Amino acid sequence: MTDINEAFQLLWRKLEIWMKQIVLMLPNLFLAMLVLVLTFVAARLFRRTSDKLLIRFTHSSALNNLVGTTVYVGTLTLGIFFTLSILKLDKTVTTLLAGAGIIGLALGFAFQDIAANFISGVIIAFRKPFVVGDVIDTNDHFGTIERINLRTVDIRRQTGELVKVPNRKVFESALTNFSHYGIRRIDLKVGVSYAEDLERVQQVVKEAMVDIRNMISGKEVEVVYEEFGDSSINFLVRYWISYKRQTDFVYAKSDAIIKIKKAFDANNIEIPFPITTLNFGVKGGKDLSIALKEAVPKLDQPLELKVGARENTNGEDKTKEAEE
């Protein structure tokens, strides 16, 4: 009975100590609850403010949501640490920080490629080297941008395939943006016969280059001779078009080819076929007719064809010979 009373008294003294500690901690508990509530209110306020500010710099919804969520979570984390400090749980705060650092380091090594794509996506969203709808060429992929994510850039090729290029590769590699200035020059290669008057050809081509789709009228059409080809004299027809998508380039080039061909037909200007001339009459050589006669001396004599056939009848071999 004495042991039970001693145990009961010991338990009672322990409860008294806890009650005193609770009473002493009541102000801190009230302050901690107040700080926690204010933390939630401040986190929502900061998130709304960041959303309103970011929309002025970027229209990427993914980036806006990311920054807003980061601000919200960061404010909550800071508020929770303050709350634990008020409750004199400093050791808990230190342990949490150390654990978070170790976990962050491990995740950084494990997902370094994902992190690199993520950071590249954030930089692309802020710098805006291109936007949705631009026609670009990067990493051997040519097409129209359909979507810009925080991990990939989605490119729709002209033949319909969708290519997802990682942001890190786009950020680190050379990129050509065909839609940046809204105009583009077409260099159309044409060839004419060596017998043509080149100045007349220039005039005919310039007169033919009218009513081309999307062509900019304020810029002069240039006809520049380029080289002496194997079968023709080659020149470039250079003209500028307004450019928003690849079909503008394709149709403008097609129209120019049609009009130049009609103008050449109307003015009897020849576009030669590739021609190869074999000359056997050079010094030390022979004429083609002599070379053929020497190669086939009996060309004028009738040809004889002998066909041998072997039949097997009753174990005996018989040979028939036909002559024609």
Side-chain angles (χ1 to χ4, degrees), residues 189-194 227-235 270-275:
K189 189 172 182 179
V190 189
V192 293
S193 171
Y194 276 86
E227 63 180 356
F228 293 97
D230 295 335
S231 306
S232 62
I233 296 179
N234 301 322
F235 63 91
E270 180 184 357
I271 302 177
F273 296 101
I275 298 174

Side-chain angles (χ1 to χ4, degrees), residues 130-265:
F130 44 77
V131 296
V132 174
D134 283 355
V135 180
I136 67 171
D137 184 8
T138 181
N139 293 278
D140 297 328
H141 299 297
F142 174 78
T144 304
I145 298 176
E146 280 203 347
R147 193 176 299 104
I148 303 174
N149 301 317
L150 292 177
R151 194 182 68 84
T152 62
V153 175
D154 296 349
I155 301 175
R156 176 73 65 178
R157 288 181 174 177
Q158 304 303 314
T159 50
E161 301 90 350
L162 181 65
V163 182
K164 291 181 175 290
V165 185
N167 288 332
R168 180 176 60 85
K169 291 187 176 182
V170 176
F171 183 73
E172 294 177 351
S173 304
L175 181 144
T176 303
N177 190 341
F178 295 94
S179 304
H180 183 74
Y181 294 107
I183 59 175
R184 186 176 176 184
R185 192 183 75 184
I186 298 178
D187 292 350
L188 180 61
K189 189 172 182 179
V190 189
V192 293
S193 171
Y194 276 86
E196 300 295 342
D197 183 349
L198 301 185
E199 293 180 350
R200 176 171 172 265
V201 171
Q202 283 182 321
Q203 187 64 29
V204 169
V205 171
K206 289 182 178 180
E207 292 176 354
M209 294 293 292
V210 293
D211 298 330
I212 305 293
R213 273 179 282 188
N214 303 312
M215 190 173 75
I216 300 175
S217 58
K219 291 183 176 291
E220 181 183 0
V221 177
E222 298 177 330
V223 180
V224 183
Y225 287 97
E226 186 180 31
E227 63 180 356
F228 293 97
D230 295 335
S231 306
S232 62
I233 296 179
N234 301 322
F235 63 91
L236 292 177
V237 183
R238 306 195 303 187
Y239 57 101
W240 291 85
I241 63 169
S242 57
Y243 185 87
K244 293 183 179 179
R245 51 187 180 177
Q246 183 62 11
T247 52
D248 297 337
F249 179 89
V250 173
Y251 289 143
K253 191 172 184 179
S254 176
D255 289 349
I257 293 174
I258 293 173
K259 291 183 178 295
I260 292 174
K261 177 62 168 59
K262 288 183 177 180
F264 280 6
D265 292 342

Side-chain angles (χ1 to χ4, degrees), residues 117-128:
N117 289 324
F118 174 77
I119 295 173
S120 299
V122 172
I123 296 175
I124 289 172
F126 273 108
R127 292 182 60 183
K128 295 182 179 179

Side-chain angles (χ1 to χ4, degrees), residues 2-74:
T2 304
D3 294 337
I4 296 175
N5 291 334
E6 289 178 357
F8 181 77
Q9 290 177 2
L10 180 62
L11 179 61
W12 181 254
R13 283 196 297 268
K14 202 68 174 178
L15 290 175
E16 286 182 348
I17 294 173
W18 288 352
M19 292 297 294
K20 289 179 181 180
Q21 291 292 333
I22 293 174
V23 171
L24 293 175
M25 288 290 294
L26 280 178
N28 291 344
L29 286 174
F30 176 77
L31 183 59
M33 293 297 296
L34 181 61
V35 169
L36 194 60
V37 172
L38 292 176
T39 298
F40 278 98
V41 175
R44 292 183 179 180
L45 180 62
F46 289 159
R47 181 170 187 172
R48 292 176 184 175
T49 304
S50 66
D51 291 341
K52 292 180 181 179
L53 291 176
L54 284 173
I55 200 171
R56 299 179 182 178
F57 300 98
T58 175
H59 295 285
S60 175
S61 58
L63 180 61
N64 293 342
N65 291 333
L66 171 66
V67 175
T69 303
T70 303
V71 171
Y72 183 77
V73 173

